[in-house]
Amino acid sequence: MPTNTGVPIPQSIGPAWFQESAKSSGIQFQHASGHQSRHWMPEMESGGVGLLDYDGDGWLDIFFVSGGSLNPGPTPGSGNRLYRNLHNGRFEDVTHTSGITSGSDYGMGCACADFDGDGWVDLYVTNLRTNRLWKNNGNGTFTDVTEKAGVTCPSWSTSAAFFDANGDGLLDLVVVNYIKWTPETELACFSRGGRPDYCSPLNYQAPALTTLYRNRGDGTFEDVTKSAGLEQAYGNGLGVAVGDFNQDGRLDFFVANDAMPNQLWLNQGNFRFIDEGLLRGCALNSHGTARAGMGVVTVDLLDRGWMDLFVTHLVGEGNGLFINTNGYFIDTRSTRGPMTGSLPSTGFGVAFADFDHDGIQDLYVANGRVKYGDQSILPEDPYAEPNSLLRGLGGGEFERVNPEGGTTNPLVATSRGLAIGDLDNDGDLDVVVVNRDSSPYLLRNEVPKRGRAIQFRVVDPQNHLVPNARLCVEAAGRRQFRQASPNEGYCSSQDPRVHVGLGVANGVDRVTVRWPSGSEEIFGPYPAGGVVTLQQGSGKPASGVFQYK
Amino acid sequence: MFRIKYRRHLAAIFAGALAIVLGIRAYVSTLGPVLPVPVPADFAQLDSLLKSHLMACIRPLRDSPRDSHLREELALAYAANGFWSEAQLLFDQLSILDPQDPLPLLYSGVAREELHDPAASLVLYRRVTEMFPQFAPGWSRLGTAALEADSFDVAQSAFARLTSLAPQEWRGPAGAGELELRRGKPGEAIPLLERAVQLNPDSRTAHHLLGRSYLSMGRTNEASLQLALGRNVEGHPMPDAWTDRALAHIKSRADVLRLAKDALDEGDPATAARYYEEIRVHHPNEPELLNQLAIAYNRLNQPAKAIDLVERVLKTDPRHVAAQITAAYANSTLGRYTEALAHADAAVQITPDLALAHLARANAFLGLNRDLEAVAALESAHRADPGNAQLLVELGTILWRNLDRPDAALERLESARKLDPALAPIYPRITALYLQLGRTADALATVEIWKLVRPKDPEIPAALARIQSSRGTQFPHSIPSP
């Protein structure tokens, strides 16, 4: 197993943080890129996962997105699969009864949200050609409403996110697209040693637009890409993260582009957006170089009330942290920051989470190459790499967890999408990772805890989950900032609940929620443990908690 | 007797042995020990072009293992093609064999950087500067690495030393400026970065850093332009005596293709063709290669050769879009515009939303003097790729020069400028259009920005002279000489 140098790593091997239990949990999903001999570019980017409580029983179910086939012949692998949580550590494949099909789609990722406000979480699947919107019928089945809803998005879509762009209480949809690609425009590219290999997106010179759909509120969407101003900037989009980055009371979104400048689409109101990534310092690295952006998450790393951005990158680039200072970003490098040890790997899925409940967020990154490397770690998979687990030390500092990746036996695969959530409702966060042409990981959290935790469901007056609500959680004299960010990372959808580790505190003194509209409310106190629902309108009005410090 | 004889024998044996030992010692101390010659584990699987080149470096070194120059060549060949583990071993050996040469030690550091060991590379760069304090590239590497490692004091002294050793080297003030920026002192960074831009107006890094500094000081307009000029930075370390030698060793197919593409983009099709032909020897039937080579030959005004190549591609794959487009251009070069249009139409039919296909169509229409259709095709290209400022420049130019629609042309060109203010060819056109429309103040304002974008553009004085004559005013003496 390769080790990184120059990176803090504990000398002694500690306890495992996770137990890999996909197979023993009944998950038989097998991702398939369809790779045969020719290196079709989409084969390298496919693989997402969504955590959603599709049957409303209070337990997270899992939706896996597979690739498909770009070659003639039958579709390999298991296709997209939906697994129902049986509440006993096991999952049941309910794909067939749910009505969800993959057909000839070539899958990339998914975003989960209740787009029509009927109380049932729906599923948007991004594909190489036509995306699918699966409406949850509330009886365990889904209906394909893509055409009717007007969200086909006939591009090569990757990540997507539902968010309320205009504050009307309806979830709009942003879909990130990668490149304009057809089999006819595929190119021959080569590895260092001259072997046929996957291309860089730059080889195609065909970046794509990000697509924005406005939710009309009647089950349909309007494509507002052009009128919103999104046609002003093209990119090779892979990741998307939503948040009010300049704290003007409107939700913005950030698009992580592969080898092109990232975009920061600042919401001007009335469905108008302007890309200010370059001006605000998050389009490029500090030298002005565009990196290969894959997954992206929002995180308030120093608990200051402003949302930073963490982007996973290509081998040799190191993962990137853009620290938000008053709406402007600084590409921050540090030998002890969350990019620690990332130089030798290519990161995709990413999530910050307090796995050990010490009150400091840790970091899990799903890694996997996109081109042949110097040495293959797995003979059967030249793109495989170990995933990374970093333990947060506070003050924005991290150390690598030993054993690597947090499992007793290192897990090595070409990992892509990643989702975190409390799958067994035991109060801590588990991890699900999709691996290219392989079985997924279901990593059950079993690290000895350093404290207690609490989870929040953040809902509007009609009890609909509110994505992108922000929380300031105060406990034992400390403040922690979080955002409900179900649709971020890489091609994946996370547990919509907000999990907060409390360390030594026995409970939360108060929670201030900043709603996407910009208004604030105070809730609490609450004892540690369990899931607390924070309903808009039922707290005390507040202001000024989310200020730059 | 025996004893004496034995003693004589013994003395002779001892003397002989001593001579051999001394001889070996002298040999070893003069020429050095025989050092191993590393070979990549996957050597057998390498592409034949790369393999033959590496073998051409390995074989003579195996024959003359004490030849430092041969060892250097192999080290550079490995480094140039990304075999950094093997290169590191050789650079380490060379740094012992040639302790008076800073380059092996420097490249030992580079190899460690490439192998993701920045801490070790920083140690080596420090050693380079300690042992060779007059060696400017060592200070440049040290400064950059120290900056990455947050060792601000080391970086500061390194960039200061670099500036004093090489006052015309832009990396000195640029590094010092970046350091001030990282320290949160943009006001102090600005003069340093302005100096860096002055030293090398083509340095995108310097423009980017200057833009960030302006931004931090609230000088948003200046920041926007500098950030635009600093787009698409590709980091290049300070050149040294091995830089060009290493370049000549690039034989990895992927990298040779990239070099060829860069040459094409930089308007050097002859170099591009040379690179492509080099690969073609080993891969005579590869469609993408043949197509790229055809592009190079067409730009070398050898369209018949280009057509011959793309026809080979299209014979096996008529849906090869890039080959259809190349065939369109090559036929246009030959004046066979009808054939060109047929190929461009085929490309559009295969991929209707590919801007390049529409552009090829527009080109054919222009050849046929069907300018309105050319504009329509360019509009389609623009719809397919609305973020491409170059397309708007083409569109504006045709509207202006071919259709005499200066207002429409100006609108397109201003849109292009908004998309990419760093695109220099926009400025002479916009200036001329403003003049044609009698808007001399706007023309002058455009030239002022043009001067920032390309300060040494020889067309600027002529443009200013035209503005001057059109309104009869005197201009400041700050007009740069051509």
Side-chain angles (χ1 to χ4, degrees):
Chain A
M1 191 61 52
T3 55
N4 306 322
T5 50
V7 167
I9 180 165
Q11 292 300 307
S12 59
I13 296 180
W17 286 44
F18 302 109
Q19 174 74 41
E20 203 293 299
S21 61
K23 285 257 159 53
S24 62
S25 301
I27 290 171
Q28 302 296 320
F29 169 76
Q30 186 80 10
H31 176 271
S33 72
H35 175 65
Q36 289 179 10
S37 54
R38 182 141 192 206
H39 290 71
W40 301 106
M41 187 66 168
E43 296 168 353
M44 194 29 90
E45 321 291 344
S46 160
V49 56
L51 301 184
L52 70 165
D53 179 11
Y54 86 97
D55 52 0
D57 62 357
W59 292 72
L60 285 174
D61 311 297
I62 310 175
F63 180 72
F64 289 104
V65 182
S66 185
S69 179
L70 297 164
N71 298 296
T75 301
S78 55
N80 301 340
R81 309 308 290 176
L82 178 65
Y83 284 91
R84 187 169 75 87
N85 194 327
L86 299 177
H87 313 177
N88 59 0
R90 292 188 60 79
F91 290 82
E92 174 191 16
D93 187 339
V94 294
T95 315
H96 184 67
T97 54
S98 74
I100 293 175
T101 56
S102 307
S104 60
D105 292 346
Y106 194 94
M108 299 303 298
C110 65
C112 309
D114 177 11
F115 82 93
D116 53 1
D118 64 356
W120 297 96
V121 62
D122 309 294
L123 189 53
Y124 187 70
V125 183
T126 56
N127 290 316
L128 175 59
R129 290 171 281 260
T130 302
N131 298 340
R132 302 277 170 204
L133 178 59
W134 294 98
K135 176 182 156 47
N136 191 333
N137 300 319
N139 59 0
T141 67
F142 289 79
T143 302
D144 181 354
V145 296
T146 316
E147 293 286 342
K148 185 186 158 206
V151 288
T152 50
C153 196
S155 302
W156 175 355
S157 302
T158 50
S159 293
F162 287 96
F163 74 111
D164 185 359
N166 58 344
D168 63 357
L170 301 169
L171 290 180
D172 310 298
L173 174 64
V174 58
V175 184
V176 171
N177 300 305
Y178 190 45
I179 55 177
K180 287 187 241 172
W181 182 93
T182 66
E184 287 81 13
T185 56
E186 186 53 279
L187 301 167
C189 295
F190 305 94
S191 70
R192 177 209 66 183
R195 296 159 73 185
D197 203 350
Y198 293 98
C199 296
S200 154
L202 295 180
N203 289 113
Y204 302 92
Q205 295 184 299
L209 284 179
T210 293
T211 307
L212 184 64
Y213 292 107
R214 184 178 72 84
N215 191 334
R216 292 193 184 102
D218 60 357
T220 69
F221 290 79
E222 175 192 4
D223 185 341
V224 293
T225 305
K226 196 171 175 182
S227 62
L230 267 61
E231 66 166 9
Q232 292 300 313
Y234 271 51
N236 305 315
L238 285 178
V240 65
V242 177
D244 182 2
F245 295 107
N246 57 352
Q247 298 212 11
D248 64 352
R250 292 187 284 251
L251 288 174
D252 317 301
F253 62 90
F254 173 90
V255 177
N257 284 317
D258 188 358
M260 284 186 72
N262 302 316
Q263 294 146 358
L264 179 68
W265 291 102
L266 290 185
N267 194 333
Q268 308 297 301
N270 297 320
F271 267 99
R272 291 284 308 163
F273 288 80
I274 294 178
D275 171 25
E276 289 203 1
L278 200 60
L279 265 181
R280 290 187 179 255
C282 55
L284 306 162
N285 74 2
S286 61
H287 301 296
T289 305
R291 290 176 292 202
M294 318 292 190
V296 56
V297 287
T298 55
V299 59
D300 189 345
L301 197 64
L302 301 172
D303 288 318
R304 303 160 308 142
W306 288 80
M307 269 184 299
D308 313 313
L309 289 159
F310 186 77
V311 189
T312 51
H313 290 304
L314 197 64
V315 57
E317 295 180 335
N319 296 332
L321 173 68
F322 292 108
I323 289 280
N324 187 343
T325 53
N326 235 354
Y328 288 81
F329 292 84
I330 297 169
D331 173 35
T332 308
R333 284 160 291 160
S334 160
T335 49
R336 296 184 67 84
M339 65 293 287
T340 290
S342 60
L343 271 177
S345 307
T346 296
F348 274 84
V350 54
F352 282 90
D354 187 356
F355 293 115
D356 59 355
H357 296 179
D358 62 355
I360 302 166
Q361 294 197 86
D362 312 300
L363 173 64
Y364 194 95
V365 181
N367 295 315
R369 296 172 184 168
V370 292
K371 289 188 89 69
Y372 288 125
D374 287 344
Q375 293 167 330
S376 290
I377 299 167
L378 284 184
E380 67 273 23
D381 183 355
Y383 303 102
E385 289 181 324
N387 292 342
S388 312
L389 175 63
L390 302 182
R391 180 177 165 242
L393 302 173
E397 296 196 346
F398 290 78
E399 68 174 10
R400 288 176 60 207
V401 168
N402 193 356
E404 182 155 25
T407 52
T408 306
N409 297 311
L411 300 169
V412 184
T414 307
S415 297
R416 291 295 179 254
L418 172 162
I420 54 162
D422 184 1
L423 290 169
D424 44 11
N425 279 347
D426 63 352
D428 61 25
L429 292 172
D430 311 297
V431 181
V432 185
V433 181
V434 174
N435 299 312
R436 178 184 187 254
D437 288 329
S438 188
S439 306
Y441 301 148
L442 195 161
L443 304 176
R444 292 196 186 279
N445 186 334
E446 56 176 32
V447 64
K449 301 296 181 290
R450 297 167 192 260
R452 304 186 69 191
I454 190 167
Q455 296 187 77
F456 299 100
R457 281 182 74 246
V458 192
V459 299
D460 69 9
Q462 290 76 42
N463 204 32
H464 301 136
L465 287 164
V466 181
N468 309 111
R470 296 182 62 204
L471 277 64
C472 172
V473 179
E474 296 175 61
R478 264 195 69 207
R479 304 213 296 184
Q480 294 188 62
F481 290 86
R482 296 282 193 279
Q483 178 179 228
S485 304
N487 299 155
E488 64 178 28
Y490 178 76
C491 287
S492 295
S493 201
Q494 324 289 327
D495 188 341
R497 296 170 293 191
V498 178
H499 174 276
V500 184
L502 298 174
V504 295
N506 288 319
V508 168
D509 301 323
R510 65 175 188 167
V511 184
T512 308
V513 177
R514 182 179 166 100
W515 302 99
S517 62
S519 66
E520 295 177 11
E521 275 181 82
I522 295 174
F523 299 84
Y526 302 108
V531 181
V532 173
T533 297
L534 306 174
Q535 188 160 35
Q536 190 171 15
S538 64
K540 293 177 206 152
S543 67
V545 174
F546 292 79
Q547 295 294 325
Y548 174 66
K549 290 174 181 59
Chain B
M1 206 47 194
F2 172 73
R3 186 165 284 189
I4 292 168
K5 234 180 169 177
Y6 174 76
R7 278 183 181 166
R8 277 181 189 160
H9 270 294
L10 206 63
I13 290 167
F14 179 75
L18 187 66
I20 290 167
V21 168
L22 288 173
I24 290 171
R25 196 174 157 194
Y27 181 76
V28 168
S29 64
T30 308
L31 299 171
V34 176
L35 297 169
V37 179
V39 177
D42 59 348
F43 187 78
Q45 280 86 52
L46 298 182
D47 180 62
S48 53
L49 168 64
L50 178 58
K51 197 159 51 179
S52 61
H53 181 76
L54 290 178
M55 191 43 84
C57 296
I58 291 168
R59 209 170 275 140
L61 182 60
R62 279 181 176 159
D63 294 342
S64 309
R66 292 187 181 84
D67 187 321
S68 291
H69 182 75
L70 292 175
R71 197 164 289 273
E72 268 177 32
E73 289 301 319
L74 181 59
L76 291 174
Y78 281 145
N81 294 292
F83 297 93
W84 285 105
S85 299
E86 291 78 7
Q88 181 192 313
L89 182 68
L90 290 167
F91 289 133
D92 287 353
Q93 294 169 352
L94 284 163
S95 66
I96 296 165
L97 291 171
D98 298 331
Q100 299 310 309
D101 186 348
L103 286 165
L105 196 56
L106 183 81
Y107 276 69
S108 288
V110 174
R112 280 163 177 83
E113 216 173 332
E114 293 289 339
L115 291 166
H116 314 304
D117 193 351
S121 68
L122 188 59
V123 169
L124 285 167
Y125 294 149
R126 288 189 85 140
R127 199 179 301 159
V128 171
T129 55
E130 283 160 14
M131 291 173 66
F132 307 97
Q134 303 300 315
F135 180 56
W139 292 105
S140 180
R141 294 267 191 182
L142 175 65
T144 307
L147 204 55
E148 288 291 319
D150 293 341
S151 300
F152 289 173
D153 291 344
V154 176
Q156 184 168 24
S157 54
F159 289 126
R161 181 78 179 146
L162 173 62
T163 302
S164 75
L165 284 172
Q168 297 306 307
E169 170 59 50
W170 67 273
R171 289 174 183 82
E178 184 177 1
L179 177 65
E180 296 302 339
L181 200 53
R182 293 272 299 273
R183 281 174 164 159
K185 297 176 180 173
E188 290 174 41
I190 285 171
L192 291 161
L193 295 165
E194 285 176 340
R195 172 75 183 140
V197 164
Q198 196 182 21
L199 286 170
N200 183 2
D202 294 331
S203 166
R204 294 182 184 189
T205 301
H207 283 294
H208 175 79
L209 294 169
L210 183 57
R212 282 178 51 210
S213 304
Y214 283 148
L215 196 61
S216 300
M217 298 298 287
R219 295 163 65 175
T220 314
N221 287 340
E222 291 158 284
S224 296
L225 181 63
Q226 292 300 327
L227 288 170
L229 289 166
R231 266 186 198 164
N232 305 325
V233 167
E234 285 181 33
H236 293 293
M238 185 175 172
D240 55 56
W242 279 0
T243 305
D244 287 340
R245 274 175 71 188
L247 194 66
H249 280 293
I250 294 178
K251 300 294 171 189
S252 157
R253 186 157 37 149
D255 288 335
V256 175
L257 287 172
R258 183 179 48 78
L259 286 176
K261 183 74 173 51
D262 288 349
L264 267 186
D265 292 346
E266 287 161 14
D268 184 3
T271 300
R274 188 167 49 77
Y275 282 127
Y276 289 133
E277 288 288 13
E278 191 179 8
I279 304 176
R280 194 183 173 201
V281 171
H282 299 264
H283 304 280
N285 300 312
E286 201 171 88
E288 270 78 39
L289 177 67
L290 296 180
N291 180 58
Q292 287 298 115
L293 184 58
I295 294 171
Y297 279 130
N298 189 43
R299 291 193 192 167
L300 283 166
N301 211 20
Q302 298 179 42
K305 222 168 173 177
I307 286 173
D308 179 51
L309 289 165
V310 287
E311 277 180 353
R312 283 175 56 188
V313 177
L314 292 172
K315 201 172 165 187
T316 53
D317 181 8
R319 290 180 65 79
H320 198 292
V321 178
Q324 291 284 9
I325 292 169
T326 309
Y329 279 106
N331 275 293
S332 287
T333 309
L334 279 172
R336 290 161 30 180
Y337 298 110
T338 308
E339 289 87 341
L341 187 59
H343 283 291
D345 282 343
V348 169
Q349 203 171 15
I350 297 164
T351 51
D353 63 346
L354 187 68
L356 285 176
H358 292 285
L359 194 60
R361 252 183 122 232
N363 191 52
F365 279 132
L366 283 176
L368 292 164
N369 294 319
R370 291 157 64 178
D371 292 347
L372 285 173
E373 285 157 290
V375 167
L378 274 169
E379 296 280 14
S380 298
H382 173 56
R383 272 194 299 278
D385 189 2
N388 188 333
Q390 188 64 50
L391 285 174
L392 285 168
V393 174
E394 301 294 338
L395 196 50
T397 307
I398 293 167
L399 286 167
W400 176 34
R401 299 249 168 91
N402 296 29
L403 297 172
D404 195 23
R405 291 170 54 191
D407 289 309
L410 186 62
E411 188 192 324
R412 303 303 198 288
L413 288 164
E414 284 290 14
S415 298
R417 176 158 73 159
K418 203 174 156 193
L419 275 175
D420 185 1
L423 194 63
I426 298 171
Y427 292 93
R429 289 168 170 81
I430 293 181
T431 306
L433 274 166
Y434 276 132
L435 270 180
Q436 184 179 336
L437 294 168
R439 295 164 61 177
T440 45
D442 290 325
L444 188 58
T446 304
V447 174
E448 289 305 315
I449 302 170
W450 183 4
K451 282 157 74 177
L452 292 171
V453 172
R454 186 169 284 183
K456 293 176 182 169
D457 194 324
E459 287 186 47
I460 291 174
L464 281 167
R466 280 194 295 275
I467 298 170
Q468 185 182 11
S469 64
S470 77
R471 67 178 205 183
T473 54
Q474 293 297 315
F475 286 99
H477 55 275
S478 62
I479 301 167
S481 54

